[in-house]
Coordinates of all heavy atoms in Angstrom, one line a residue:
M178 N 7.7 -15.0 -15.1 CA 7.7 -13.7 -14.5 C 8.6 -13.7 -13.2 O 8.6 -14.7 -12.5 CB 6.2 -13.5 -14.1 CG 6.0 -12.2 -13.2 SD 4.3 -11.7 -13.0 CE 3.8 -12.8 -11.7
T179 N 9.3 -12.7 -13.1 CA 10.2 -12.5 -11.9 C 9.3 -12.2 -10.7 O 8.4 -11.4 -10.7 CB 11.2 -11.3 -12.1 OG1 11.9 -11.6 -13.3 CG2 12.1 -11.2 -11.0
E180 N 9.6 -12.9 -9.6 CA 8.9 -12.7 -8.4 C 9.3 -11.4 -7.7 O 10.4 -11.1 -7.6 CB 9.2 -13.8 -7.4 CG 8.7 -15.2 -7.8 CD 7.4 -15.5 -7.0 OE1 7.2 -15.0 -5.9 OE2 6.7 -16.3 -7.5
A181 N 8.3 -10.6 -7.4 CA 8.5 -9.3 -6.7 C 8.8 -9.7 -5.2 O 8.1 -10.4 -4.6 CB 7.3 -8.5 -6.8
R182 N 9.9 -9.1 -4.7 CA 10.2 -9.3 -3.3 C 10.2 -8.1 -2.5 O 10.5 -8.1 -1.3 CB 11.6 -10.0 -3.2 CG 11.6 -11.4 -3.7 CD 11.0 -12.3 -2.6 NE 10.8 -13.6 -3.1 CZ 9.8 -14.4 -2.8 NH1 8.8 -13.9 -2.1 NH2 9.7 -15.6 -3.3
D183 N 10.0 -6.9 -3.1 CA 10.1 -5.6 -2.4 C 8.9 -4.8 -2.9 O 8.6 -4.7 -4.1 CB 11.4 -4.9 -2.7 CG 12.6 -5.6 -2.3 OD1 12.7 -5.8 -1.1 OD2 13.4 -6.0 -3.1
A184 N 8.2 -4.2 -1.9 CA 7.1 -3.3 -2.2 C 7.2 -2.0 -1.4 O 7.7 -2.1 -0.2 CB 5.8 -4.0 -2.0
V185 N 6.7 -0.9 -1.9 CA 6.5 0.3 -1.1 C 5.0 0.5 -0.8 O 4.2 0.4 -1.7 CB 7.1 1.5 -1.8 CG1 6.9 2.8 -1.0 CG2 8.6 1.3 -2.2
L186 N 4.7 0.6 0.5 CA 3.4 0.8 0.9 C 3.2 2.1 1.6 O 3.9 2.5 2.5 CB 3.0 -0.3 2.0 CG 1.7 -0.1 2.8 CD1 0.5 -0.2 1.9 CD2 1.7 -1.2 3.9
Y187 N 2.3 2.9 1.0 CA 1.9 4.2 1.6 C 0.6 4.0 2.3 O -0.4 3.6 1.7 CB 1.8 5.3 0.6 CG 3.1 5.7 -0.1 CD1 3.6 5.0 -1.2 CD2 3.9 6.7 0.4 CE1 4.8 5.3 -1.8 CE2 5.1 7.0 -0.2 CZ 5.5 6.3 -1.3 OH 6.7 6.7 -1.9
R188 N 0.6 4.3 3.6 CA -0.7 4.1 4.4 C -0.8 5.2 5.4 O 0.1 5.8 5.9 CB -0.7 2.7 5.0 CG 0.3 2.5 6.1 CD 0.3 1.0 6.5 NE 1.3 0.8 7.5 CZ 1.0 0.6 8.8 NH1 -0.3 0.7 9.2 NH2 1.9 0.4 9.7
M189 N -2.1 5.4 5.8 CA -2.5 6.5 6.7 C -2.5 6.0 8.1 O -3.2 5.0 8.5 CB -3.9 7.0 6.3 CG -4.4 8.1 7.2 SD -6.0 8.8 6.6 CE -7.0 7.4 6.6
V190 N -1.7 6.7 9.0 CA -1.7 6.4 10.4 C -1.8 7.8 11.1 O -0.7 8.4 11.3 CB -0.5 5.6 10.9 CG1 -0.6 5.4 12.4 CG2 -0.4 4.3 10.2
L191 N -3.0 8.3 11.4 CA -3.1 9.6 12.0 C -3.2 9.4 13.5 O -3.3 8.2 14.0 CB -4.4 10.2 11.5 CG -4.6 10.4 10.0 CD1 -5.9 11.0 9.7 CD2 -3.4 11.2 9.4
S192 N -3.1 10.4 14.3 CA -3.1 10.3 15.7 C -4.4 9.7 16.3 O -4.3 9.0 17.3 CB -2.8 11.7 16.4 OG -3.9 12.6 16.0
D193 N -5.5 9.9 15.6 CA -6.7 9.4 16.0 C -7.3 8.3 15.2 O -8.5 7.9 15.4 CB -7.8 10.6 16.2 CG -8.0 11.2 14.8 OD1 -7.2 11.1 13.9 OD2 -9.0 11.9 14.7
H194 N -6.6 7.9 14.1 CA -7.1 6.8 13.2 C -6.0 6.1 12.5 O -5.1 6.8 11.9 CB -8.1 7.5 12.2 CG -8.6 6.5 11.2 ND1 -9.5 5.6 11.5 CD2 -8.3 6.4 9.9 CE1 -9.8 4.9 10.3 NE2 -9.0 5.4 9.4
T195 N -6.0 4.8 12.5 CA -5.2 4.0 11.7 C -6.0 3.3 10.7 O -7.0 2.6 11.0 CB -4.4 2.9 12.6 OG1 -3.6 3.6 13.5 CG2 -3.6 2.0 11.7
C196 N -5.7 3.5 9.4 CA -6.5 3.0 8.3 C -6.4 1.4 8.4 O -5.3 0.9 8.2 CB -6.0 3.5 7.0 SG -6.9 2.7 5.6
P197 N -7.6 0.7 8.5 CA -7.5 -0.7 8.6 C -7.1 -1.4 7.3 O -6.5 -2.4 7.2 CB -9.0 -1.1 9.0 CG -9.8 0.0 8.6 CD -8.9 1.3 8.7
F198 N -7.4 -0.7 6.1 CA -7.0 -1.2 4.8 C -5.5 -1.2 4.7 O -4.9 -2.1 4.0 CB -7.7 -0.5 3.7 CG -9.2 -0.6 3.8 CD1 -10.0 0.4 4.3 CD2 -9.8 -1.8 3.5 CE1 -11.3 0.3 4.4 CE2 -11.2 -2.0 3.6 CZ -11.9 -0.9 4.0
G199 N -4.8 -0.2 5.3 CA -3.4 -0.1 5.2 C -2.7 -1.3 6.0 O -1.8 -1.9 5.6
V200 N -3.3 -1.5 7.2 CA -2.9 -2.7 8.0 C -3.1 -4.0 7.3 O -2.1 -4.8 7.2 CB -3.7 -2.7 9.4 CG1 -3.3 -4.0 10.2 CG2 -3.4 -1.4 10.2
K201 N -4.2 -4.1 6.6 CA -4.5 -5.3 5.8 C -3.5 -5.5 4.7 O -2.9 -6.6 4.5 CB -5.9 -5.3 5.3 CG -6.3 -6.4 4.4 CD -7.7 -6.3 3.8 CE -8.0 -7.4 2.9 NZ -9.4 -7.2 2.3
A202 N -3.2 -4.4 4.0 CA -2.2 -4.5 2.9 C -0.8 -4.9 3.4 O -0.2 -5.7 2.7 CB -2.1 -3.1 2.2
K203 N -0.4 -4.3 4.5 CA 0.9 -4.7 5.0 C 0.9 -6.2 5.4 O 1.9 -6.9 5.1 CB 1.2 -3.9 6.3 CG 2.6 -4.1 6.8 CD 2.9 -3.2 8.0 CE 4.3 -3.5 8.5 NZ 4.6 -2.6 9.6
Q204 N -0.1 -6.7 6.0 CA -0.2 -8.1 6.4 C -0.2 -9.0 5.1 O 0.5 -10.0 5.1 CB -1.4 -8.4 7.2 CG -1.4 -7.7 8.6 CD -2.7 -7.8 9.4 OE1 -3.8 -8.0 8.8 NE2 -2.6 -7.6 10.7
L205 N -0.9 -8.6 4.1 CA -1.0 -9.4 2.9 C 0.4 -9.5 2.3 O 0.8 -10.6 1.8 CB -1.9 -8.8 1.9 CG -3.4 -8.9 2.1 CD1 -4.2 -8.0 1.2 CD2 -3.9 -10.3 2.0
L206 N 1.1 -8.4 2.2 CA 2.5 -8.4 1.6 C 3.4 -9.3 2.4 O 4.2 -10.1 1.9 CB 3.0 -7.0 1.5 CG 2.4 -6.1 0.5 CD1 2.7 -4.6 0.7 CD2 2.8 -6.5 -0.9
Q207 N 3.4 -9.1 3.8 CA 4.3 -9.9 4.6 C 4.0 -11.4 4.5 O 4.9 -12.2 4.4 CB 4.2 -9.4 6.1 CG 4.8 -8.0 6.3 CD 4.5 -7.5 7.7 OE1 3.5 -7.7 8.3 NE2 5.4 -6.7 8.2
H208 N 2.7 -11.7 4.5 CA 2.3 -13.1 4.3 C 2.8 -13.7 3.0 O 3.1 -14.9 2.9 CB 0.8 -13.3 4.5 CG 0.3 -14.7 4.5 ND1 -0.2 -15.3 3.3 CD2 0.3 -15.6 5.4 CE1 -0.5 -16.5 3.6 NE2 -0.2 -16.7 4.9
A209 N 2.9 -12.9 2.0 CA 3.4 -13.3 0.7 C 4.9 -13.4 0.6 O 5.4 -13.7 -0.5 CB 2.8 -12.4 -0.4
G210 N 5.6 -13.0 1.7 CA 7.0 -13.0 1.7 C 7.6 -11.8 1.0 O 8.8 -11.8 0.6
V211 N 6.9 -10.7 0.8 CA 7.4 -9.5 0.2 C 7.9 -8.6 1.3 O 7.3 -8.4 2.3 CB 6.2 -8.8 -0.6 CG1 6.7 -7.5 -1.2 CG2 5.7 -9.7 -1.7
T212 N 9.1 -8.0 1.1 CA 9.7 -7.0 2.0 C 8.9 -5.7 1.8 O 8.7 -5.2 0.7 CB 11.2 -6.8 1.7 OG1 11.8 -8.1 1.9 CG2 11.8 -5.8 2.6
V213 N 8.5 -5.1 2.9 CA 7.6 -3.9 2.9 C 8.4 -2.7 3.3 O 8.9 -2.7 4.4 CB 6.4 -4.1 3.7 CG1 5.5 -2.8 3.7 CG2 5.6 -5.3 3.4
D214 N 8.5 -1.7 2.4 CA 9.0 -0.4 2.8 C 7.7 0.4 3.2 O 7.0 0.9 2.4 CB 9.7 0.3 1.6 CG 10.2 1.7 1.9 OD1 10.0 2.2 3.1 OD2 10.9 2.2 1.0
D215 N 7.5 0.4 4.5 CA 6.2 0.9 5.1 C 6.4 2.5 5.3 O 7.0 2.9 6.2 CB 6.0 0.2 6.4 CG 4.6 0.5 6.9 OD1 3.7 1.0 6.2 OD2 4.3 0.1 8.1
R216 N 5.7 3.2 4.4 CA 5.8 4.7 4.5 C 4.5 5.2 5.1 O 3.4 5.2 4.5 CB 6.0 5.2 3.1 CG 7.3 4.6 2.5 CD 8.1 5.5 1.7 NE 9.2 4.9 1.1 CZ 9.8 5.2 0.0 NH1 9.3 6.2 -0.7 NH2 10.9 4.6 -0.4
I217 N 4.6 5.8 6.3 CA 3.4 6.2 7.0 C 3.1 7.7 6.7 O 4.0 8.5 6.7 CB 3.7 6.1 8.5 CG1 4.1 4.7 8.9 CG2 2.5 6.6 9.3 CD1 3.0 3.6 8.7
L218 N 1.8 7.9 6.4 CA 1.3 9.3 6.2 C 0.7 9.7 7.5 O -0.3 9.1 7.9 CB 0.3 9.3 5.0 CG 0.9 8.7 3.7 CD1 -0.2 8.6 2.7 CD2 2.0 9.6 3.1
R219 N 1.3 10.6 8.2 CA 0.9 10.9 9.6 C -0.1 12.0 9.8 O -0.6 12.2 10.9 CB 2.2 11.1 10.4 CG 3.1 9.9 10.5 CD 4.2 10.1 11.4 NE 5.2 9.0 11.3 CZ 5.0 7.8 11.8 NH1 4.0 7.5 12.5 NH2 6.0 6.9 11.7
T220 N -0.3 12.8 8.7 CA -1.2 14.0 8.9 C -2.2 14.0 7.7 O -1.9 13.4 6.6 CB -0.5 15.3 8.9 OG1 0.1 15.5 7.6 CG2 0.6 15.4 10.0
R221 N -3.3 14.6 7.9 CA -4.2 14.8 6.8 C -3.6 15.5 5.6 O -3.8 15.1 4.4 CB -5.5 15.5 7.3 CG -6.6 15.7 6.2 CD -7.1 14.5 5.6 NE -7.8 13.6 6.6 CZ -8.2 12.4 6.3 NH1 -8.1 11.9 5.1 NH2 -8.8 11.7 7.2
D222 N -2.7 16.5 5.9 CA -2.1 17.2 4.8 C -1.1 16.2 4.0 O -1.1 16.3 2.8 CB -1.2 18.4 5.3 CG -2.1 19.5 5.8 OD1 -3.3 19.6 5.4 OD2 -1.6 20.4 6.5
E223 N -0.4 15.4 4.7 CA 0.4 14.4 4.0 C -0.4 13.4 3.1 O 0.0 13.1 2.0 CB 1.2 13.6 5.0 CG 2.4 14.3 5.6 CD 3.2 13.4 6.6 OE1 2.9 12.2 6.7 OE2 4.1 13.9 7.2
V224 N -1.5 13.0 3.7 CA -2.4 12.1 2.9 C -2.9 12.8 1.7 O -2.9 12.3 0.6 CB -3.6 11.6 3.8 CG1 -4.6 10.9 3.0 CG2 -3.1 10.8 5.0
D225 N -3.4 14.0 1.8 CA -4.0 14.8 0.7 C -2.9 15.1 -0.3 O -3.2 15.0 -1.5 CB -4.6 16.1 1.2 CG -5.9 15.9 2.0 OD1 -6.4 14.7 2.0 OD2 -6.3 16.8 2.7
A226 N -1.7 15.4 0.1 CA -0.6 15.7 -0.8 C -0.2 14.4 -1.6 O 0.0 14.5 -2.8 CB 0.6 16.3 -0.1
F227 N -0.2 13.3 -0.9 CA 0.1 12.0 -1.6 C -0.9 11.7 -2.6 O -0.6 11.3 -3.8 CB 0.2 10.9 -0.5 CG 0.4 9.6 -1.2 CD1 1.6 9.1 -1.6 CD2 -0.7 8.8 -1.4 CE1 1.8 7.9 -2.2 CE2 -0.6 7.5 -2.1 CZ 0.7 7.1 -2.4
K228 N -2.2 11.8 -2.3 CA -3.3 11.5 -3.2 C -3.2 12.4 -4.4 O -3.4 11.9 -5.5 CB -4.6 11.6 -2.5 CG -4.8 10.5 -1.5 CD -6.2 10.3 -0.9 CE -6.8 11.5 -0.3 NZ -8.1 11.2 0.4
A229 N -2.9 13.7 -4.2 CA -2.9 14.6 -5.3 C -1.7 14.3 -6.2 O -1.8 14.3 -7.5 CB -2.8 16.0 -4.8
E230 N -0.5 14.0 -5.6 CA 0.7 13.7 -6.4 C 0.5 12.5 -7.3 O 1.0 12.4 -8.4 CB 1.9 13.5 -5.4 CG 3.2 13.2 -6.1 CD 4.3 12.9 -5.2 OE1 4.2 13.3 -4.0 OE2 5.3 12.3 -5.6
H231 N -0.1 11.4 -6.7 CA -0.3 10.2 -7.4 C -1.6 10.0 -8.2 O -1.9 9.0 -8.8 CB 0.0 9.0 -6.5 CG 1.4 9.0 -6.0 ND1 2.4 8.4 -6.7 CD2 1.9 9.5 -4.8 CE1 3.5 8.6 -6.0 NE2 3.3 9.2 -4.9
D232 N -2.4 11.1 -8.1 CA -3.8 11.1 -8.7 C -4.6 9.8 -8.3 O -5.1 9.1 -9.2 CB -3.6 11.2 -10.2 CG -4.9 11.5 -10.9 OD1 -5.8 12.2 -10.3 OD2 -5.1 11.1 -12.1
V233 N -4.7 9.6 -7.0 CA -5.5 8.5 -6.5 C -6.5 9.1 -5.5 O -6.3 10.1 -4.9 CB -4.6 7.4 -5.8 CG1 -3.7 6.8 -6.8 CG2 -3.8 8.0 -4.6
A234 N -7.5 8.3 -5.3 CA -8.6 8.8 -4.4 C -8.5 8.3 -3.0 O -9.1 8.8 -2.0 CB -10.0 8.4 -5.0
T235 N -7.7 7.2 -2.8 CA -7.6 6.5 -1.5 C -6.2 6.1 -1.1 O -5.3 6.0 -2.0 CB -8.5 5.3 -1.5 OG1 -8.0 4.3 -2.5 CG2 -10.0 5.6 -1.8
T236 N -6.0 5.9 0.1 CA -4.9 5.1 0.6 C -5.4 3.9 1.3 O -6.6 3.9 1.8 CB -4.0 6.0 1.6 OG1 -4.8 6.3 2.7 CG2 -3.5 7.2 0.9
P237 N -4.6 2.8 1.4 CA -3.2 2.7 1.1 C -3.0 2.6 -0.4 O -4.0 2.3 -1.2 CB -2.8 1.4 1.8 CG -4.1 0.6 1.7 CD -5.2 1.6 1.9
Q238 N -1.8 2.8 -0.8 CA -1.3 2.5 -2.2 C 0.0 1.7 -2.1 O 0.8 2.0 -1.3 CB -1.1 3.8 -3.0 CG -2.4 4.5 -3.3 CD -3.3 3.8 -4.2 OE1 -2.8 3.2 -5.2 NE2 -4.6 3.8 -3.9
V239 N 0.0 0.6 -3.0 CA 1.2 -0.3 -3.0 C 1.9 -0.1 -4.3 O 1.2 -0.1 -5.4 CB 0.7 -1.7 -2.8 CG1 1.9 -2.7 -2.9 CG2 0.0 -1.9 -1.5
F240 N 3.2 0.0 -4.3 CA 4.0 0.1 -5.5 C 5.0 -1.1 -5.5 O 5.6 -1.3 -4.4 CB 4.7 1.4 -5.6 CG 3.9 2.6 -5.7 CD1 3.2 3.2 -4.6 CD2 3.7 3.2 -7.0 CE1 2.4 4.3 -4.7 CE2 2.8 4.3 -7.1 CZ 2.2 4.8 -6.0
V241 N 5.2 -1.7 -6.6 CA 6.2 -2.7 -6.8 C 7.0 -2.3 -8.0 O 6.5 -2.2 -9.1 CB 5.6 -4.2 -7.0 CG1 6.7 -5.1 -7.3 CG2 4.8 -4.6 -5.8
G242 N 8.3 -2.0 -7.8 CA 9.1 -1.4 -8.8 C 8.4 -0.1 -9.3 O 8.0 0.7 -8.5
D243 N 8.3 0.1 -10.6 CA 7.6 1.3 -11.1 C 6.1 1.1 -11.3 O 5.4 2.0 -11.8 CB 8.2 1.6 -12.5 CG 9.7 2.1 -12.4 OD1 10.0 2.6 -11.3 OD2 10.4 1.9 -13.4
E244 N 5.6 0.0 -10.9 CA 4.2 -0.3 -11.1 C 3.4 0.0 -9.8 O 3.7 -0.5 -8.7 CB 4.0 -1.8 -11.4 CG 2.6 -2.3 -11.6 CD 2.4 -3.7 -11.9 OE1 3.4 -4.5 -11.8 OE2 1.3 -4.2 -12.1
R245 N 2.3 0.8 -10.0 CA 1.4 1.0 -8.9 C 0.3 -0.1 -8.9 O -0.4 -0.3 -9.9 CB 0.6 2.4 -9.0 CG -0.3 2.6 -7.8 CD -1.0 4.0 -7.9 NE -1.9 4.1 -9.0 CZ -3.2 3.7 -8.9 NH1 -3.6 3.1 -7.9 NH2 -4.0 3.8 -10.0
I246 N 0.3 -0.9 -7.9 CA -0.6 -2.0 -7.8 C -2.0 -1.5 -7.4 O -3.0 -1.9 -7.9 CB -0.1 -3.0 -6.7 CG1 1.3 -3.5 -7.0 CG2 -1.1 -4.2 -6.6 CD1 1.4 -4.1 -8.4
G247 N -2.0 -0.5 -6.4 CA -3.3 0.0 -6.0 C -3.5 -0.2 -4.5 O -2.5 -0.3 -3.7
G248 N -4.8 -0.2 -4.1 CA -5.1 -0.4 -2.7 C -5.2 -1.8 -2.3 O -4.7 -2.7 -3.0
S249 N -5.8 -2.1 -1.1 CA -5.7 -3.5 -0.6 C -6.5 -4.5 -1.4 O -6.0 -5.6 -1.6 CB -6.2 -3.5 0.9 OG -7.5 -3.1 1.0
D250 N -7.6 -4.1 -2.0 CA -8.4 -5.0 -2.8 C -7.6 -5.3 -4.1 O -7.5 -6.5 -4.5 CB -9.8 -4.4 -3.2 CG -10.7 -4.4 -2.0 OD1 -10.5 -5.1 -1.0 OD2 -11.7 -3.7 -2.1
D251 N -7.0 -4.3 -4.7 CA -6.2 -4.5 -5.9 C -5.0 -5.4 -5.6 O -4.6 -6.2 -6.4 CB -5.7 -3.1 -6.4 CG -6.8 -2.2 -6.8 OD1 -7.7 -2.7 -7.5 OD2 -6.7 -1.0 -6.5
L252 N -4.4 -5.1 -4.4 CA -3.3 -6.0 -4.0 C -3.7 -7.4 -3.8 O -2.9 -8.3 -4.2 CB -2.7 -5.4 -2.6 CG -1.6 -6.2 -2.0 CD1 -0.4 -6.3 -2.9 CD2 -1.2 -5.7 -0.6
E253 N -4.8 -7.7 -3.2 CA -5.3 -9.1 -3.1 C -5.4 -9.7 -4.5 O -4.9 -10.9 -4.6 CB -6.6 -9.1 -2.4 CG -6.6 -9.1 -0.9 CD -7.9 -9.4 -0.3 OE1 -8.8 -8.5 -0.2 OE2 -8.1 -10.6 0.1
R254 N -6.0 -9.0 -5.4 CA -6.1 -9.6 -6.8 C -4.7 -9.8 -7.4 O -4.4 -10.8 -8.1 CB -6.9 -8.7 -7.7 CG -8.4 -8.8 -7.4 CD -9.3 -8.0 -8.4 NE -9.1 -6.6 -8.3 CZ -9.8 -5.8 -7.4 NH1 -10.6 -6.3 -6.6 NH2 -9.6 -4.5 -7.5
W255 N -3.8 -8.9 -7.2 CA -2.4 -9.0 -7.8 C -1.7 -10.2 -7.2 O -1.1 -10.9 -7.9 CB -1.7 -7.7 -7.5 CG -0.3 -7.6 -8.1 CD1 0.0 -7.3 -9.4 CD2 0.9 -7.8 -7.5 NE1 1.3 -7.3 -9.6 CE2 1.9 -7.6 -8.4 CE3 1.3 -8.1 -6.2 CZ2 3.3 -7.7 -8.1 CZ3 2.6 -8.2 -5.9 CH2 3.6 -8.1 -6.8
L256 N -1.8 -10.3 -5.9 CA -1.2 -11.5 -5.2 C -1.8 -12.8 -5.7 O -1.0 -13.8 -5.9 CB -1.2 -11.3 -3.7 CG -0.4 -10.2 -3.1 CD1 -0.7 -10.0 -1.6 CD2 1.1 -10.5 -3.3
E257 N -3.1 -12.9 -5.9 CA -3.7 -14.1 -6.3 C -3.2 -14.4 -7.7 O -3.0 -15.6 -8.1 CB -5.2 -13.9 -6.3 CG -5.8 -14.0 -5.0 CD -7.3 -13.6 -4.9 OE1 -7.9 -13.4 -6.0 OE2 -7.9 -13.5 -3.8
G258 N -3.0 -13.4 -8.6 CA -2.5 -13.6 -9.9 C -1.1 -14.1 -9.9 O -0.7 -14.9 -10.8
R259 N -0.3 -13.8 -9.0 CA 1.1 -14.2 -8.9 C 1.1 -15.7 -8.5 O 2.0 -16.4 -8.9 CB 1.9 -13.4 -7.8 CG 2.2 -12.0 -8.3 CD 2.9 -11.3 -7.2 NE 4.2 -12.0 -6.9 CZ 4.7 -12.0 -5.7 NH1 4.1 -11.5 -4.6 NH2 5.8 -12.7 -5.4
S260 N 0.2 -16.1 -7.6 CA 0.2 -17.5 -7.1 C -0.5 -18.5 -8.0 O -0.3 -19.7 -7.9 CB -0.4 -17.6 -5.7 OG -1.8 -17.3 -5.8
G261 N -1.3 -18.0 -8.9 CA -2.1 -18.8 -9.8 C -1.4 -19.1 -11.0 O -1.2 -19.9 -11.8

């Protein structure tokens, strides 16, 4: 399997709230040596539009290539599968 070295991370950072799961996902990717294209959703409207466009219920969402990995728990499992 080819090692993924680039990921796109969509995460919520509102003026009054930074999603801790988005922070965790970014840290997991960086720790794994993956380059992160960190795309910040800065308003509730941006978050809602993203969720509707990708048919997901939550953020963060991680994409590697054309594959949607999912949120931070899904990312943890995906990374464990790569190392095992």
Side-chain angles (χ1 to χ4, degrees):
M178 173 168 81
T179 303
E180 290 260 337
R182 290 280 172 222
D183 298 296
V185 179
L186 168 64
Y187 292 88
R188 63 188 182 104
M189 179 174 57
V190 178
L191 306 179
S192 62
D193 61 343
H194 175 73
T195 298
C196 175
F198 298 103
V200 172
K201 178 182 177 182
K203 184 175 180 181
Q204 291 171 340
L205 287 168
L206 288 164
Q207 290 173 329
H208 185 261
V211 176
T212 300
V213 181
D214 180 356
D215 192 10
R216 305 214 181 153
I217 304 296
L218 304 169
R219 297 186 189 282
T220 66
R221 180 58 63 186
D222 287 344
E223 285 182 3
V224 172
D225 292 343
F227 173 84
K228 292 193 299 190
E230 178 183 346
H231 294 279
D232 194 26
V233 295
T235 63
T236 61
Q238 291 293 318
V239 176
F240 294 82
V241 174
D243 293 334
E244 179 183 6
R245 183 177 67 83
I246 305 303
S249 62
D250 290 343
D251 299 315
L252 176 61
E253 276 191 277
R254 286 189 289 277
W255 185 81
L256 289 169
E257 287 171 7
R259 289 180 59 216
S260 65

